[in-house]
Amino acid sequence: MWTNTHLAFIGACLLAIAVAVPVQAAELSDKEVGASLLTDLKTALRAKQAADIGNHVERIADAYGAIEDRRVRSRLLKGVGKAARYKDEDVRREVLRALARMGDDGGWKYVVPFLKQSDRKRKPEHFDEALQATRDLTPDAAVPVLLEL
């Protein structure tokens, strides 16, 4: 039979586990977090799994603000930029939203192709999302591109 001592011990163990798990996650360095996020994204890109690519891009955008290491941030931005080349419409839309949420002016170079008009009579694909990303990024380099529209 379970005695009060047994139940108290089990409760203490569960509490210790509940407290230890978030602490371990918080102890990860920026490099470890960035490497994990990029590995997951690259795996999804190789497997050509659009839904997973979108999810990983979203996770990168969520974690981006908490990462302080400039090199890791640069690698994450490049990873999201590589995902922008993926031909799936939903992935491209998610990439543009992620770039806007990341708020890094370095992401501008990945937004530019979505603003270019090959045909003046037609609006480019994902034009609205690209404009939103431009509003959120506000890079100085956007001025000449926007004047051409």
Side-chain angles (χ1 to χ4, degrees):
M1 282 307 216
W2 294 96
T3 64
N4 287 340
T5 307
H6 288 105
L7 293 174
F9 177 73
I10 292 170
C13 290
L14 290 174
L15 180 63
I17 291 170
V19 170
V21 170
V23 170
Q24 289 173 351
E27 291 176 1
L28 293 177
S29 70
D30 286 353
K31 289 181 182 180
E32 292 169 329
V33 170
S36 172
L37 291 169
L38 283 175
T39 300
D40 293 344
L41 178 61
K42 288 177 183 177
T43 302
L45 284 168
R46 279 191 215 110
K48 299 182 180 180
Q49 299 169 337
D52 288 344
I53 295 169
N55 291 337
H56 293 306
V57 166
E58 188 176 330
R59 284 180 47 218
I60 288 172
D62 291 342
Y64 193 79
I67 294 176
E68 296 175 8
D69 188 329
R70 287 180 36 220
R71 290 182 186 159
V72 174
R73 289 171 66 97
S74 174
R75 286 188 207 116
L76 291 174
L77 192 60
K78 287 179 185 176
V80 171
K82 286 181 182 179
R85 291 186 246 150
Y86 193 74
K87 300 294 182 197
D88 185 77
E89 301 297 317
D90 292 332
V91 169
R92 287 182 170 189
R93 194 171 294 118
E94 188 59 47
V95 165
L96 288 169
R97 288 181 189 145
L99 288 169
R101 284 195 351 241
M102 291 163 81
D104 189 330
D105 287 350
W108 166 245
K109 63 184 169 189
Y110 304 115
V111 175
V112 172
F114 295 99
L115 292 172
K116 299 270 175 143
Q117 289 178 293
S118 58
D119 181 6
R120 291 273 187 209
K121 295 178 182 177
R122 287 186 36 212
K123 185 166 78 168
E125 293 179 26
H126 310 298
F127 186 75
D128 296 329
E129 289 90 354
L131 276 179
Q132 180 62 42
T134 303
R135 265 184 251 135
D136 292 343
L137 295 174
T138 61
D140 293 336
V143 175
V145 174
L146 293 174
L147 288 175
E148 289 179 16
L149 297 178

